Amino acid sequence: MNFLDSIWLIPLFPLFGALVMLLIGKRLDPQAPSAVAIAPGIEPVSDEHGGAAAHGGRELHAGHGGAHHSPATRWVIRLLCPGMVLVSFLFSVGAIIQLASLPERVHQVVRYTWIAGLPFHMQDGTLARFSADFGFLLDPLSAVMVLVVTGVGFLIHVYSTGYMEHDGGYYRFFGYLNLFVFFMLMLVLANNYALLFVGWEGVGLCSYLLIGFYFHKKSAGDAGKKAFVVNRVGDAGFLLGMFLMFSVLGTVRFLDVNHVLTSGAFHPEEGHFGVLSAMALLLFLGATGKSAQFPLYVWLPDAMEGPTPVSALIHAATMVTAGVYMCARSSALFQLTPETSMIVACVGAFTAILSASIALVQNDIKRVLAYSTVSQLGYMFMAVGVGAYWVAIFHLYTHAFFKALLFLGSGSVIHALSGEQDMRRMGGLKDKIPVTFRTMFIGSLAIAGIPGLAGFFSKDEILWQTYSSPGGSQAIYLVGLITAFMTAFYMWRLMFLTFYGEPRMDPHTAAHIHESPRSMTVPLTVLAAGSVVGGWIGVPKLWSFLPDSFRVFEHWLEPVFVRASAHAAEAAHAASHQDAATEWALMGLSVAVALCGILLARHLYLRKPGLADALQRKAGPLYTTLYNKWYVDEIYDFLFVNGVAKGGGSWMARFDSRIVDGGVNGAGWLTRGIATVSMWWDTWVIDGAVRLSSFMVKLLSYPVRILQTGYVQAYALVFVVGALMFLGYYWVR
């Protein structure tokens, strides 16, 4: 079978599952339970489909096997929805195997012209026609993304069949998941920016639906709206950048854009900020929204209000990496705009250390992981900013394993504790949920950057590139190193508070702690395996004792990330000859920093737990500032919600009522006054003159009317009298 010519089918499989669920899914789930077994003291609120809401900051979820059991017909949902994603994964594997046999490793399928010939004035004044294909592109970059989306997505679907077993809205949840996978596949397989934007907006819609899945919970609804609104800010930048791209380059197709930019017609905008820099910056603005970078990162932590599988699929492994993918796809543009690339690196570094500092003191297990995701995304943008595009995608790939594992592991903990998410009410779970503990142990080692695990290879390569590449700087490297220390600390703070020490949960919850079902633990095990071996396809070049096959990831992506100029190629060649001893030293330093973070967390939260509380009291304002997330949300509320939205809205309302409506009302009063004067003039002057004229005519005609009676005998009498008068006159003479 020719999989390459049929890559357009890959997104359609999950679309089919979504349509079945959203159109007839309720018939397959007719007895959806209206309540779930939850922590004591928390009352469930049922949605109109039988779905459970959540209260008290806890995710309402069946903890110890509630009284409700899923309808027998749910087996169709459990097979169909994960099965469609699995078919997409297998289809993708077949297409990628065939792609690897092509010399250029690029294959494009155009089904039809989607947007045909909209008139558009280019920058030079010529009239062009904006067009976009309904086309699909499979190359090494999209191949990595499609495997991440379908592979990790399938495991999360399987996990969800157990995790959501006792929740209502079962069919609706899986319909949204399948719809999300469809849009994400459209995003990564599109052959042009316009079609990519369709998938971009589609995953934003699905994010809104899934974050607010417990729609009777106000905080979930607010989080969904917040994600939707904040992302619209970034999307405006994406659209402007895309239109500017067409006005300058005359195309939005990826291959054509890269060809124009690398043809020599454009030169690097070094030392000034030109049209290409503006184009790149607008695209990056779109990426800051979707990939949660400062200042548009605030939606992602609140998105934890959605069910845990949503956090794993959308907000850890796939959707939030869309911005990284888009910037990497635009590498030819960013290579020509070093000023914008430095902005990208600086924003990524600032976001990484800012969110890592917040994660140090959070107590909600999912929020710690949420800020960790924001921080790791900052790492990826650091790599993009210094020109190490393949390294950014490498970290995206390894991050999908260990962060999905950690989120799903946290869901298993929440499942075991009947909805509890506060780590201060956990502890001692190591032996009670051993599979969850072992897999999260591996994931925490991986994200901390311990050698041999996936996170070590990608994170160490990012640190090395920020230090050694021409676009990097030692300041950015230092920020990355400090962030690595923080990452190790807060992740092992999470591990020690959750799994070690004395149990701190209430006795009722402690009596019902149990390991998750196999539908949840098997995906955890597979992701743990990926967190161990996934990084061995991108080992450092410094490890020359290993065969070249251990560096297949970089070689695989080489055709995509072409150099934009000879100058950039020379700079990269010079960077590759850095002192090996320096690289070994920096590698050892990053490992030492990670180990120090782990040991410090162990000392504070395991060996001397009272010391952490004492430090918290001594830290005072600093702890409060970190716990309140640097007050960024409060600042945004003051400036935009209360300032622009409420204050500005009130000012606009007054402006509307007093100026706009005042102008309208004034015009109305003026018109009415003029009409009154006009009516008076018409009545008393115009009509008065007419009436006066008629009266004078009537008055002057009165004597005549006396004689003009209309009677014949009167006229005959007048004739006789007149004749007698004439006769008398002559008789007298």
Side-chain angles (χ1 to χ4, degrees):
M1 180 178 179
N2 190 339
F3 291 101
L4 282 176
D5 289 336
S6 303
I7 56 174
W8 59 276
L9 291 173
I10 294 175
L12 298 187
F13 297 121
L15 177 62
F16 173 76
L19 291 176
V20 171
M21 290 300 101
L22 299 178
L23 295 178
I24 62 171
K26 194 170 184 180
R27 299 180 182 178
L28 303 174
D29 190 20
Q31 300 174 356
S34 59
V36 292
I38 55 175
I42 302 177
E43 296 296 328
V45 180
S46 302
D47 64 29
E48 62 191 38
H49 301 294
H55 282 238
R58 303 183 183 183
E59 183 170 313
L60 297 194
H61 185 71
H64 51 271
H68 295 277
H69 300 282
S70 63
T73 52
R74 276 191 176 177
W75 69 268
V76 178
I77 302 175
R78 288 194 290 265
L79 287 179
L80 178 66
C81 295
M84 290 296 99
V85 182
L86 177 61
V87 172
S88 290
F89 173 75
L90 297 175
F91 211 94
S92 301
V93 171
I96 293 169
I97 291 174
Q98 293 179 357
L99 179 74
S101 63
L102 299 179
E104 66 281 4
R105 296 208 294 271
V106 175
H107 188 76
Q108 190 169 213
V109 176
V110 177
R111 298 298 300 171
Y112 55 85
T113 300
W114 168 42
I115 301 176
L118 293 178
F120 200 106
H121 285 281
M122 295 187 64
Q123 194 178 39
D124 59 5
T126 60
L127 181 65
R129 293 196 173 274
F130 181 89
S131 62
D133 302 325
F134 190 79
F136 300 84
L137 174 68
L138 188 65
D139 65 355
L141 178 57
S142 58
V144 172
M145 294 300 298
V146 77
L147 288 179
V148 168
V149 172
T150 56
V152 177
F154 168 68
L155 294 174
I156 294 173
H157 273 71
V158 173
Y159 177 96
S160 300
T161 61
Y163 189 84
M164 303 296 292
E165 179 71 23
H166 300 282
D167 282 328
Y170 196 74
Y171 73 94
R172 181 165 51 89
F173 179 80
F174 279 97
Y176 293 162
L177 281 189
N178 268 202
L179 188 63
F180 166 80
V181 174
F182 160 71
F183 279 119
M184 193 67 200
L185 289 172
M186 290 294 296
L187 189 155
V188 300
L189 286 173
N191 78 331
N192 62 83
Y193 286 94
L195 189 58
L196 182 150
F197 187 73
V198 173
W200 187 277
E201 289 296 282
V203 294
L205 169 64
C206 294
S207 175
Y208 166 77
L209 295 172
L210 286 165
I211 293 170
F213 178 75
Y214 298 125
F215 54 81
H216 277 291
K217 182 184 177 187
K218 185 179 185 301
S219 59
D222 291 343
K225 288 181 286 188
K226 185 176 183 179
F228 195 82
V229 171
V230 171
N231 272 277
R232 299 292 74 73
V233 178
D235 294 348
F238 188 111
L239 281 173
L240 291 174
M242 181 171 61
F243 292 143
L244 181 59
M245 176 183 291
F246 182 83
S247 69
V248 174
L249 306 180
T251 181
V252 292
R253 186 184 288 186
F254 297 142
L255 297 181
D256 296 340
V257 168
N258 289 339
H259 175 73
V260 173
L261 291 174
T262 58
S263 64
F266 294 90
H267 301 284
E269 294 181 345
E270 296 178 352
H272 69 283
F273 195 89
V275 64
L276 295 182
S277 297
M279 189 188 308
L281 192 60
L282 286 169
L283 292 179
F284 176 61
L285 176 60
T288 60
K290 197 65 69 184
S291 293
Q293 295 298 285
F294 184 85
L296 301 180
Y297 72 95
V298 291
W299 67 270
L300 182 59
D302 289 356
M304 298 303 107
E305 294 291 342
T308 299
V310 174
S311 305
L313 178 65
I314 297 182
H315 309 117
T318 54
M319 189 194 90
V320 292
T321 60
V324 180
Y325 165 76
M326 188 264 289
C327 289
R329 176 63 74 188
S330 308
S331 60
L333 174 63
F334 281 93
Q335 286 167 353
L336 293 173
T337 57
E339 281 72 26
T340 301
S341 294
M342 181 51 66
I343 292 174
V344 172
C346 291
V347 169
F350 180 75
T351 304
I353 196 169
L354 177 75
S355 53
S357 67
I358 297 172
L360 294 174
V361 299
Q362 297 302 305
N363 296 315
D364 187 305
I365 188 171
K366 288 175 64 177
R367 284 192 174 267
V368 173
L369 296 175
Y371 282 106
S372 173
T373 297
V374 178
S375 182
Q376 296 305 304
L377 290 166
Y379 255 95
M380 297 176 203
F381 280 105
M382 286 167 55
V384 169
V386 301
Y389 304 104
W390 81 267
V391 183
I393 299 302
F394 186 36
H395 195 56
L396 182 157
Y397 154 79
T398 59
H399 178 263
F401 285 114
F402 57 74
K403 187 51 65 67
L405 166 62
L406 291 169
F407 264 114
L408 296 184
S410 71
S412 184
V413 171
I414 295 169
H415 177 275
L417 296 179
S418 304
E420 183 60 69
Q421 295 180 209
D422 193 329
M423 296 184 297
R424 294 171 297 184
R425 292 193 283 268
M426 297 182 185
L429 297 176
K430 180 166 63 73
D431 298 321
K432 296 182 178 180
I433 47 175
V435 177
T436 301
F437 164 69
R438 288 194 292 267
T439 53
M440 287 194 71
F441 188 92
I442 292 171
S444 298
L445 288 177
I447 194 174
I450 300 303
L453 284 84
F456 162 76
F457 296 105
S458 57
K459 184 178 290 187
D460 181 76
E461 191 66 31
I462 289 176
L463 291 173
W464 171 244
Q465 292 290 339
T466 57
Y467 181 87
S468 64
S469 67
S473 73
Q474 294 184 3
I476 295 176
Y477 166 79
L478 184 61
V479 170
L481 191 65
I482 296 172
T483 302
F485 170 79
M486 291 181 175
T487 302
F489 176 82
Y490 66 65
M491 281 308 308
W492 283 88
R493 171 180 177 265
L494 180 152
M495 289 295 295
F496 292 130
L497 287 176
T498 303
F499 293 102
Y500 292 85
E502 296 297 322
R504 297 180 298 278
M505 66 286 297
D506 62 79
H508 182 272
T509 301
H512 295 92
I513 296 175
H514 65 290
E515 184 59 273
S516 299
R518 288 180 59 82
S519 60
M520 295 170 62
T521 56
V522 169
L524 290 177
T525 305
V526 175
L527 289 169
S531 300
V532 173
V533 303
W536 285 90
I537 59 174
V539 300
K541 292 180 180 179
L542 191 66
W543 293 17
S544 56
F545 53 86
L546 292 175
D548 201 47
S549 58
F550 281 86
R551 286 173 284 277
V552 67
F553 197 89
E554 181 180 2
H555 299 326
W556 173 254
L557 290 173
E558 277 177 355
V560 181
F561 302 127
V562 294
R563 293 289 174 177
S565 66
H567 172 74
E570 292 172 3
H573 180 73
S576 66
H577 289 81
Q578 291 279 346
D579 184 11
T582 302
E583 187 172 355
W584 278 112
L586 294 180
M587 186 181 298
L589 180 60
S590 68
V591 174
V593 162
L595 291 175
C596 287
I598 295 173
L599 292 175
L600 180 61
R602 181 175 181 269
H603 183 72
L604 293 178
Y605 294 97
L606 187 58
R607 297 190 64 185
K608 295 184 177 180
L611 185 58
D613 295 332
L615 289 175
Q616 175 182 323
R617 288 191 295 270
K618 289 183 179 179
L622 177 60
Y623 174 84
T624 304
T625 301
L626 294 178
Y627 185 77
N628 288 283
K629 304 160 289 186
W630 293 98
Y631 296 101
V632 173
D633 281 300
E634 287 76 8
I635 293 172
Y636 284 3
D637 283 343
F638 175 77
L639 292 177
F640 300 111
V641 178
N642 297 320
V644 174
K646 292 184 180 178
S650 299
W651 183 87
M652 290 299 292
R654 289 194 297 271
F655 179 84
D656 181 67
S657 62
R658 297 179 183 179
I659 306 299
V660 178
D661 287 352
V664 173
N665 294 335
W669 280 105
L670 181 61
T671 302
R672 185 175 178 182
I674 293 173
T676 302
V677 173
S678 176
M679 183 176 62
W680 180 88
W681 178 266
D682 184 69
T683 302
W684 296 104
V685 178
I686 305 300
D687 289 353
V690 173
R691 286 195 294 269
L692 178 62
S693 300
S694 62
F695 176 76
M696 292 302 296
V697 171
K698 182 179 179 180
L699 181 63
L700 294 174
S701 65
Y702 184 76
V704 179
R705 285 192 297 113
I706 295 175
L707 299 175
Q708 298 293 334
T709 63
Y711 295 106
V712 175
Q713 58 271 31
Y715 295 155
L717 178 62
V718 172
F719 290 155
V720 172
V721 171
L724 290 176
M725 289 176 66
F726 276 110
L727 290 175
Y729 172 76
Y730 285 110
W731 180 267
V732 173
R733 286 185 66 186

